[in-house]
Amino acid sequence: MYNNSRLNKDIDCKRCSEVNQTLIYQAFINGYSDYPIPMKISMEHFFERFFGPEGNTLEDSFIALRDHKPVGLILGGIRIFDGYKNLRCGAFCVVSDLRGKGMSRELFRLFVQNGLNRGCIRISLEVLSDNEHAIRFYEKQGFKKQNKLLYYSKSLADGSLKQTIKILPHITIKKVNLSVAKEVREQIGPIHINWQNEVEYFLQDVSAHCFAAYLDHQLKGALVITEYGKIYFIYVNKEDRRKGIATALLLYTINHLNLQKLNISMPDQIQMIEFLRNIGFEKEPIEQYEMYKWLI
């Protein structure tokens, strides 16, 4: 427990593993009550998501309490990411009346110290690109902006995508185990994919499915997508691109899962924007920066 008399003698910071889970959920709801993107999520869904695919752990997360009531929260989880032992900040919030009074810095200090103690090399996070206040805060803590995350979506209500795709002869598409996409990702090598699209994330999503394209029994491409149309991963071998394999994968999946909408996010350095635009995806207004802080 941490008591900071400079803030308020009644404010304590604890690991989330030391408190009731209801307090953690309430800290999240209270802290994000005025966030630009509404955080309407049940307690059950909150824990399924943020302590499931998101990769946060109670031991690597901290909560701030005032008079035993939750007023701040920082969630964290550790994975090998981009080849480094990486601590990710999965959520960070403080109730509005306590912002700018030092609590954010103290929670973050505990968070960073925990990363050092756990042997992490780097800390990462994502922040809305127009959230200048948060960006300034992170920059003061030593973070630097790197990639920008872009979001694209396409409605399937009009059937237009189906009209643009012709199934290629000799191409066989099958639903396969997610391990196939894991193998494809490993073969690609050290290309940066954002945290929420990486293998460790989609392997824990019970709504994720994998589809693979084969030509003469040889694997040519793979797609990981949820039953709600979220695309985690889509890849076609370099020598087989511009042959309609990726679009064929999408069409098969749309029919198989009866999808009404597709959406995808990706770092801006990934060369996929032209492909998405060609098949009718539109860019969403939301953008995020990936920010990093090196610990050693």
Side-chain angles (χ1 to χ4, degrees), residues 154-163 254 258-262:
K154 176 173 175 57
S155 172
L156 302 172
D158 60 0
S160 59
L161 183 57
K162 296 181 181 181
Q163 298 171 13
I254 291 166
N258 192 28
L259 299 176
Q260 302 301 310
K261 186 176 182 179
L262 297 173

Side-chain angles (χ1 to χ4, degrees), residues 9 11 21 27 46 53 61 109 145 166 172 204 242 256 266 270 294:
K9 64 180 181 180
I11 292 180
Q21 291 190 358
F46 167 75
S61 304
R109 184 192 69 79
K145 291 185 291 188
K166 294 181 180 180
T172 301
Q204 295 190 56
R242 298 185 181 276
H256 187 86
M266 62 194 159
I270 291 182
W294 295 95

